[in-house]
């Protein structure tokens, strides 16, 4: 079965969102000393909102091929 172009585009967009989220929020934090970090409550809220969107989308995925 060939996937419609729009479905493939949506998958690529979601992949880019996940990759970007990981790169922006996780990777720099793993390499910097947390002692010098100053984080505002609004920044935590933003991260949680994006993580929630990603998690909700992942809750509804299904296997399309093996």
């Amino acid at each position: 079965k060939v996937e419609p172009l729009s479905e493939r585009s949506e998958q690529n967009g979601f992949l880019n969102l996940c990759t970007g989220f990981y790169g922006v929020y996780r990777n720099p934090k793993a390499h910097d000393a947390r002692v010098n970090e100053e984080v505002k409550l609004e920044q935590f809220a933003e991260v949680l909102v994006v993580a929630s969107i990603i998690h909700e989308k992942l809750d509804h995925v299904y296997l399309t091929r093996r």
Side-chain angles (χ1 to χ4, degrees), residues 10 13-19 21 25 44-61:
E10 182 180 353
F14 185 67
L15 173 65
N16 290 333
L17 172 67
C18 293
T19 303
F21 179 74
Y25 290 108
F44 282 121
E46 291 171 359
V47 170
L48 289 175
V49 167
V50 176
S52 178
I53 291 168
I54 290 171
H55 193 276
E56 175 67 22
K57 185 77 170 170
L58 290 173
D59 282 344
H60 300 287
V61 298

Side-chain angles (χ1 to χ4, degrees), residues 24-48:
V24 168
Y25 290 108
R26 192 266 173 218
N27 209 22
K29 304 295 183 211
H31 299 290
D32 290 339
R34 294 179 190 264
V35 176
N36 301 328
E37 187 176 16
E38 193 174 311
V39 179
K40 297 181 181 173
L41 188 57
E42 293 83 14
Q43 291 172 315
F44 282 121
E46 291 171 359
V47 170
L48 289 175

